[in-house]
Each structure stands twice: as C-alpha cells, then as structure tokens.
Amino acid sequence: MLNPIDVDTVVRDGGAHGRFPGQIHAGVAWWMAACFVVTVRARRLVVAHDGKPASVEFFDRLCQGAVNAQHYACQVLDRGQADEVALLAAMRQAGDAPGILVTTKETGGDTVQISIALYGRGGKPLDEPGGLAAIRRMIAEDRVPVPVNETSKGRVQPFTTASGEDTSSDQCG
C-alpha cells in the first residue's frame, strides 16, 4: 500500500477522521469511497463537502474512488457545498441513497482536521456492523476495490431535483 495509514486511528466514528497532513491524506478519501460503495452495494451515492480548500481536495479524490468501485458503476450525485442537513435531505430525495460528507476543521498552524462521514440508507451514520469494520479491514489488508473494466466505472453528475427522483432501479440492495 502506498502511503499507509493507521486504520484503527483514522477509520472510526462513522467514517475517516484525522489530522492533515499527518494522519490522513487525500488517497484515504478514494479508499473510503470505493470501499463504501462496495460495502453498501450502492448504485447511487450523494456526496457533499463544506467548501473549504482541503475538503474540496479530498472530495475530488472521493468522487474518483466512488466511480471506480468494482462493477457497481455508481452514479455519484455531487451535491457540492452543503452541510449535514442538506446532504441528508438530498439523500432522501435521491430515494434513500447512501451519502458521504467531507468537512475540515481548522486546528491552527499548518494542519487541519479532516472528516469523511459515511451515511447509510436512512441517513444513519455508518456503524461498525453496518460496514465500517469491513471498510477498515479492506484498507488494512490493501484490498481496496478497483473497476473490473472501463464499462464498470460510474460517473459523477451534479445533484439536481431531476437526478434525485427515479431511483427504483439505481440501488442494489
């Protein structure tokens, strides 16, 4: 694994959390998203960030991980800058799709605290039995999923009212 992390320290409390730079790096966002899509079998995922520069950097990598998750061809609905309330509303509108929120907290100096919060269907933070333990294990064992072939890749598109409506065939479950 290139640029390993301490998974027990970083992958916890419903997602990945750590000091950047230091404990966490943008590649972790890719890993978390790819593993999350596979773990919850998501065909559709709503993602958002808080607009801070570090969040945007992690968010971009997160989107790439979500579309490159094995054979799921996940439709990643980019909600853009939003808080948790707006993300949860978008998830409901997208037919109870799972979601991910990237946030940054200023800590002073040259570091920030990054959080990648994972939400399962129903808007509940992902817990250990719901998939967080499986994601931690996949990352620790360097079994991060990659697409089988180019046609298995998903796509990122802006979240709109229209993109959130018909979800009956978009989720695996």
Side-chain angles (χ1 to χ4, degrees):
M1 171 188 307
L2 294 174
N3 205 359
I5 61 166
D6 179 348
V7 291
D8 292 327
T9 299
V10 173
V11 181
R12 59 180 168 73
D13 302 330
H17 314 277
R19 193 177 56 259
F20 173 70
Q23 295 175 316
I24 195 168
H25 55 82
V28 174
W30 197 103
W31 301 341
M32 292 298 290
C35 292
F36 183 57
V37 166
V38 170
T39 300
V40 300
R41 299 183 172 113
R43 298 282 183 195
R44 176 177 278 199
L45 177 69
V46 182
V47 296
H49 60 83
D50 64 6
K52 295 179 181 169
S55 296
V56 172
E57 177 184 349
F58 276 69
F59 180 81
D60 289 343
R61 293 293 296 276
L62 179 141
C63 288
Q64 292 309 305
V67 300
N68 282 295
Q70 286 183 338
H71 60 279
Y72 285 91
C74 187
Q75 177 188 29
V76 179
L77 301 175
D78 179 352
R79 175 62 180 78
Q81 186 174 343
D83 62 10
E84 183 183 46
V85 172
L87 173 68
L88 294 174
M91 290 166 54
R92 281 190 302 276
Q93 188 176 358
D96 197 27
I100 305 176
L101 178 63
V102 181
T103 59
T104 299
K105 181 179 177 186
E106 303 299 325
T107 58
D110 293 338
T111 64
V112 294
Q113 183 75 18
I114 297 284
S115 289
I116 303 167
L118 308 176
Y119 300 89
R121 291 180 180 87
K124 302 278 188 229
L126 195 66
D127 60 11
E128 293 292 319
L132 197 60
I135 291 169
R136 184 182 307 105
R137 187 172 48 258
M138 290 170 77
I139 293 170
E141 295 172 0
D142 201 16
R143 291 189 352 226
V144 177
V146 295
V148 177
N149 57 47
E150 215 32 54
T151 60
S152 297
K153 289 181 77 171
R155 67 187 185 284
V156 178
Q157 67 185 64
F159 178 86
T160 63
T161 302
S163 70
E165 290 177 351
D166 180 20
T167 62
S168 57
S169 64
D170 288 335
Q171 290 181 7
C172 182

